[in-house]
Amino acid sequence: MAYQTILFDMDGTVLDTLYDLWASTNEVLREMGYPERTMEEIRSYVGNGARNQLRRALGEGCAEEAVDRALALYQPYYAAHCREHTKPYDGVLELLRALDAAGKNLAVVSNKPDRAVKLLNTEHFGALVPVAIGETPERRRKPEPDTVFAALDALGASKDGAVYVGDSEVDVATAKNAGLPLIAVSWGFRARAALRAAGAETIADTPAEVLQLCL
C-alpha cells in the first residue's frame, strides 16, 4: 500500500556507520585497557543504544562503573569522529529524493545520541529529511515507541498512513510497539534470516524496492 509518512532507522538503514562505530568503540577500549573488537563483533553489538553497545564490547560481567566510564569517553569521541567514514548506502539518496518529490513526510529515528543523529542527518540528507530524532534522557530508546511518536509529532503526522523502515530486530520490535507496519531492509547490520527470525514479514533488498513498497 502507499504510505504518506516514512520513518527510517539511521544506522544500517540509511547510513553505513559501521566503520566509525567500530573505530570509536576500539578507541575507548584501548584507553581503558580492554582488548579491541572486530568489526563483525561491533556489527552484532549495535542497534540498542551506545550504552548497550559499549557494555557488550567491554564483555560479560563488566561493572556498570566501567560502562559509565566507557560511555563518558565514547560520546565526545564519537561526536567528533562520526563523519569520517560514514556515508549513505547506495541508492538511499535516490530513494529519499523520490519520496520527497512524491510529497511524503520523512524522518529519521535512531538510538544514536541525538546530537550525532542531527549532525549526520543534516550533513548527508539536509532538507530531504526535515526531522531527525535521537536518544535523549527524556525519551526511552527503541524498541520503546517514544522516538517514533516524537518524530510523528514533529512532522505533524499521524500513525495512519505511516510506515517504519529498519534493519534490525530492534526495529522489528519498535514498529510493533508503535503500532506501525514495518519494511525491513537486508543491506544493513542484520541478515535476512535474522530479520525473519525476529518477525519481519516484509523485507526489501534494495532502496528501489523500498520505494516501490512506499508508493
Side-chain angles (χ1 to χ4, degrees), residues 82-123:
C82 66
R83 297 179 290 170
E84 293 182 1
H85 297 275
T86 289
K87 61 183 179 180
Y89 287 100
D90 289 345
V92 162
L93 281 173
E94 291 80 0
L95 165 64
L96 297 177
R97 288 171 183 145
L99 291 172
D100 179 65
K104 306 300 183 181
N105 304 314
L106 304 179
V108 163
V109 180
S110 176
N111 274 344
K112 298 170 81 66
D114 191 66
R115 177 185 174 193
V117 172
K118 288 178 167 51
L119 180 69
L120 290 170
N121 183 72
T122 298
E123 176 164 328

Side-chain angles (χ1 to χ4, degrees), residues 3-4 9 16 38 58 86-87 89 101 106 110 112 120 123 125-126 146-147 159 161 172 206 208:
Y3 298 104
Q4 181 57 35
D9 169 58
D16 182 357
T38 68
L58 290 169
T86 289
K87 61 183 179 180
Y89 287 100
L106 304 179
S110 176
K112 298 170 81 66
L120 290 170
E123 176 164 328
F125 307 130
D146 301 33
T147 50
K159 289 170 56 175
V172 176
T206 66

Side-chain angles (χ1 to χ4, degrees), residues 48-86:
N48 203 14
R51 187 177 188 87
N52 286 314
Q53 172 187 322
L54 292 165
R55 182 182 289 111
R56 295 166 184 164
L58 290 169
E60 186 176 350
C62 67
E64 283 304 301
E65 291 81 2
V67 182
D68 291 340
R69 183 185 172 208
L71 188 62
L73 292 169
Y74 177 85
Q75 287 180 327
Y77 187 88
Y78 181 70
H81 297 273
C82 66
R83 297 179 290 170
E84 293 182 1
H85 297 275
T86 289

Side-chain angles (χ1 to χ4, degrees), residues 27-40:
E27 174 67 22
V28 170
L29 294 174
R30 284 193 298 270
E31 185 162 343
M32 293 180 63
Y34 283 79
E36 296 182 27
R37 296 292 188 172
T38 68
M39 194 174 294
E40 287 309 304

Side-chain angles (χ1 to χ4, degrees), residues 5-8 107-111 131-134 138-160 162-164 173-181:
T5 301
I6 300 94
L7 307 177
F8 292 92
V108 163
V109 180
S110 176
N111 274 344
V131 171
I133 303 290
E138 296 77 31
R139 289 189 291 258
R140 294 174 298 172
R141 70 173 64 91
K142 300 182 296 182
E144 299 299 334
D146 301 33
T147 50
V148 169
F149 294 153
L152 290 172
D153 287 344
L155 288 169
S158 72
K159 289 170 56 175
D160 295 335
V163 64
Y164 185 83
T174 299
K176 180 179 179 180
N177 291 338
L180 294 180

